[in-house]
Amino acid sequence: MRLKGKNLIVTGGASGIGLATAERALQEGASVVLADLEQGDGAQRARALDGRHGGRCLFVPADVGDTAQADALVAPTVEALGSVDVVFNNAGIGGMAPAVDYRDEDFLRTIDINLTGVFRVARAALRQMYRQGAGSIVNNASILGVLGQTQTAAYSAAKGGVINLTRTLALEAAAHGVRGNAVAPGYIDTPLIAELPREQREALVRLHPLGRLGRDVEVAHAVVFLGSDEASFITGAYLLVDGGYAAGKS
């Protein structure tokens, strides 16, 4: 088991890639703190996972847009499990608009959750990991962190920031035995995409040379690998999980 005996925090864990990663980590032997907004489905999802995986999943409410809540993620994890070995910074929001129409408050909100939120949680985790002398942080970026796309000014700026933040944290953390990496998914088949008109969905499919959208568990596989000891010599990297989307666009 890749994560046997490790303790993992997943932000944005109540759905999509976060939920799939929590499940895969549990299957690989980890104990998991599922973190998400208090008013969402996180507590229910964690209970279901806990029941299926022998009491190894608990829910901690957290809004990564709030520094106090991001900081408060670490203490209950250490209290309940003893350490924080892997953090998957997955919480994020979307949003599309032409740059000329983007309101300041919408732009700043996207940056705050998708970039500053990643930093808040990583900072809190690093303090604990430095004390431990070991740990791994995996940040969820995007193909839009390395490629431009119309109507994604805030999202693309945030995800590009996540990739360079990951590199910087990796350099700082290496001397403490801590690694930092990112995953960069292409378009993943989620309920939101399923609701798109057929022609829009088919257009997204055509962007990927493999001829389909990704599945949330395929990103989860990559996160589990980067968090595991199998990736012990990988840090400061971003792993594309994009069905070939970016291959011909450099």
Side-chain angles (χ1 to χ4, degrees):
M1 289 189 174
R2 284 190 170 100
L3 298 178
K4 186 174 177 61
K6 293 186 183 294
N7 303 317
L8 184 107
I9 295 173
V10 180
T11 68
S15 63
I17 293 170
L19 185 60
T21 300
E23 179 104 55
R24 282 292 299 122
L26 288 161
Q27 291 167 353
E28 291 288 349
S31 295
V32 173
V33 167
L34 190 154
D36 212 305
L37 298 174
E38 186 167 19
Q39 63 270 29
D41 295 329
Q44 177 184 344
R45 304 292 191 209
R47 282 194 298 271
L49 290 172
D50 194 59
R52 290 202 298 273
H53 296 282
R56 288 184 286 117
C57 186
L58 64 147
F59 174 69
V60 175
D63 180 351
V64 302
D66 181 273
T67 296
Q69 292 189 49
D71 286 343
L73 262 176
V74 172
T77 304
V78 174
E79 182 178 352
L81 304 176
S83 64
V84 177
D85 302 302
V86 183
V87 169
F88 179 38
N89 261 317
N90 171 68
I93 58 174
M96 296 183 69
V100 294
D101 297 329
Y102 234 115
R103 301 184 306 168
D104 282 5
E105 54 267 37
D106 295 333
F107 188 94
L108 293 172
R109 174 68 173 163
T110 301
I111 297 293
D112 186 55
I113 298 300
N114 291 3
L115 176 56
T116 312
V118 168
F119 170 72
R120 290 185 184 105
V121 174
R123 178 178 59 191
L126 286 172
R127 290 168 177 159
Q128 173 63 27
M129 290 176 176
Y130 285 5
R131 287 192 288 270
Q132 297 168 182
S136 174
I137 292 175
V138 183
N139 297 324
N140 198 0
S142 168
I143 49 170
L144 298 186
V146 292
L147 299 169
Q149 181 173 297
T150 59
Q151 300 193 53
T152 66
Y155 187 85
S156 291
K159 293 301 187 177
V162 167
I163 289 174
N164 232 23
L165 172 65
T166 300
R167 294 186 179 113
T168 300
L169 295 180
L171 291 172
E172 291 187 11
H176 300 271
V178 178
R179 298 182 296 108
N181 293 290
V183 289
Y187 283 95
I188 305 302
D189 198 356
T190 64
L192 182 63
I193 286 179
E195 294 173 2
L196 290 174
R198 178 180 172 183
E199 60 274 14
Q200 285 183 253
R201 181 181 170 88
E202 290 176 350
L204 291 179
V205 168
R206 288 194 296 271
L207 294 173
H208 302 78
L210 287 183
R212 63 175 176 84
L213 302 176
R215 297 186 293 271
D216 51 15
V217 71
E218 292 175 311
V219 183
H221 292 320
V223 175
V224 166
F225 166 68
L226 289 172
S228 76
D229 293 340
E230 291 179 353
S232 57
F233 201 57
I234 301 175
T235 194
Y238 68 90
L239 176 57
L240 290 164
V241 188
D242 71 342
Y245 182 107
K249 296 180 173 62
S250 59

